[in-house]
Amino acid sequence: MKPGFFLGLFLLIALNVSAQSDSTVYQPNKVNQFKLVPLPAVGSNPANGWLFGLAPSATWYMGDPRTTKMSNFVGNFLYTTKKQWIFSSRSNIFLNENKTILIGDWRYFITSQPTYGLGSSTPNEPTENPSEPGTWWGEQQMDFRLIRFYEAILKRIGDSKFYLGAGYHLDIHSKIKNFQDDEITGQLEFAHDRYNVDMGFDVNKYTVSGISFNMVMENRDNSVSPYEKNFGWVQYKINPSFLGSDQSSSLLLLDYRHYVNLSERRKRNLIALWGFGNFVVSGKVPYMNLPGIGWDMFGRSGRAYAQGRFRGESMVYSEAEWRFPLQKNKETFGGTVFVNAASFSSKTTEERLFEKFNPGYGLGLRVMINKQNRTTISADYGFGQKGNSGFYLNVNESF
């Protein structure tokens, strides 16, 4: 019932917003041509349950649109049936003539989500971890608060598609509480607490604060809904204790996306490919800061699984999606079919990367509510292993 109910609301809202935006006149020389979509948010996903609130998105130009890429912002102001508050702002801003890119990810969560232990082999149902006797393995509930401030500035190298820059990154997890349902008995230690104690971190609060060095290749024709070309991002993040981190560490992020047109006449008919890796390179990282599924910038990885369903010291993720129009001569409605897979490593369970994969697959519906800027409302249903599945309602394409 839930997916059908939300899909109906999705179509009603999207069609209404689309009808309001069809009359927009394109003015190619107008700087700061601002388009705001104050979209009501009604959706569902495995980590949050039902969500209600606002999910505004905005697109605009910081220079002449003929020489400047479109900037975009996506926000969330949500309350969920699991008594969570989610406030977030994610943005990609291109200054005049694409000379500078600003990448922002700001969040404040009063939230909860289950955690399952580390590695790709964790089961759904809670049980004792055979690799760590006395520790829970499988679903364990967790309440926490998160303050996140990520901001990076990158400068263009000459007239190329490449950018270099630096950023600051702050994560503060606090008021962390692990618990199990009343029906479950046993004096086992929670995976989060066991890991943090072994690594020398507090189990109730921890901070990761650091700087990053970034290289970006921005070659997409449109960042919110690309039809062609590619995008690459290499980020090396250093979290020294003198900047406020509980312990020093470093992480490497690799992100590459490629878009292959299947039709010159209908560029919306394409194959989208995504490869993503996140690795702890040195030092020790608190449990919730370890690479995890669904914790990429826009939270789009791992459709079919709840956010945080898999976690480990190293993560590799890949996805392929066929995107296609559903109308012969119009661009309003589109569809997608996708497959993905992730692999995680864990030193604590001695599980190696690529030893096991967690696949997912699904299909989705798209409604383009602003055809000039390609702003799109997306609804997807994903299926994973061992009964994992989820319905996802978002603004813009998944990647």
Side-chain angles (χ1 to χ4, degrees), residues 97-265:
E97 297 184 346
N98 304 321
K99 293 180 179 179
T100 303
I101 303 177
L102 305 176
I103 302 174
D105 180 359
W106 306 353
R107 309 185 195 188
Y108 178 62
F109 292 174
I110 302 175
T111 189
S112 60
Q113 66 178 223
T115 184
Y116 295 79
L118 302 183
S120 298
S121 301
T122 54
N124 288 337
E125 298 300 322
T127 185
E128 186 172 6
N129 189 341
S131 300
E132 292 185 288
T135 306
W136 282 112
W137 205 35
E139 185 173 358
Q140 303 153 62
Q141 301 300 322
M142 176 186 291
D143 292 340
F144 64 94
R145 296 191 181 188
L146 169 64
I147 296 174
R148 169 169 291 184
F149 177 80
Y150 290 4
E151 191 69 38
I153 179 169
L154 298 96
K155 299 291 291 184
R156 187 176 179 181
I157 303 173
D159 294 326
S160 73
K161 304 295 183 180
F162 291 91
Y163 295 78
L164 292 176
Y168 175 71
H169 305 264
L170 173 67
D171 279 318
I172 301 174
H173 287 86
S174 63
K175 297 190 176 181
I176 301 169
K177 179 184 178 183
N178 294 274
F179 60 95
Q180 289 285 26
D181 295 332
D182 293 337
E183 300 83 27
I184 299 175
T185 60
Q187 301 299 317
L188 301 179
E189 192 173 7
F190 292 101
H192 168 274
D193 293 354
R194 168 67 70 86
Y195 172 88
N196 271 18
V197 169
D198 288 348
M199 296 296 166
F201 292 103
D202 194 293
V203 299
N204 300 310
K205 179 181 179 180
Y206 39 80
T207 299
V208 176
S209 173
I211 58 174
S212 67
F213 301 95
N214 300 267
M215 181 174 69
V216 165
M217 178 188 67
E218 178 53 89
N219 200 30
R220 295 172 292 185
D221 62 324
N222 180 299
S223 62
V224 300
S225 181
Y227 286 167
E228 56 188 350
K229 300 183 180 179
N230 49 9
F231 168 86
W233 185 7
V234 178
Q235 180 186 83
Y236 187 64
K237 189 187 300 182
I238 302 172
N239 308 304
S241 57
F242 66 80
L243 282 181
S245 296
D246 291 352
Q247 295 191 48
S248 296
S249 63
S250 65
L251 294 93
L252 174 66
L253 180 146
L254 305 173
D255 189 334
Y256 180 74
R257 308 173 189 197
H258 201 94
Y259 306 90
V260 182
N261 280 126
L262 301 179
S263 169
E264 282 299 319
R265 189 181 71 86

Side-chain angles (χ1 to χ4, degrees), residues 31 61-65 67-69 71 93-100 156:
V31 177
Y61 292 95
M62 299 295 290
D64 190 327
T67 58
T68 306
K69 289 183 180 290
S71 299
I93 300 173
F94 296 87
L95 300 189
N96 188 36
E97 297 184 346
N98 304 321
K99 293 180 179 179
T100 303
R156 187 176 179 181

Side-chain angles (χ1 to χ4, degrees), residues 345-365:
S345 71
S346 170
K347 295 178 182 178
T348 58
T349 61
E350 298 183 350
E351 186 173 350
R352 297 181 180 180
L353 202 61
F354 307 123
E355 204 170 279
K356 180 176 174 56
F357 290 89
N358 303 110
Y361 64 93
L363 70 167
L365 178 65

Side-chain angles (χ1 to χ4, degrees), residues 277-298:
N278 200 359
F279 313 93
V280 176
V281 177
S282 66
K284 297 176 182 178
V285 178
Y287 187 93
M288 290 296 288
N289 289 99
L290 291 169
I293 202 77
W295 279 98
D296 52 285
M297 178 175 172
F298 287 96

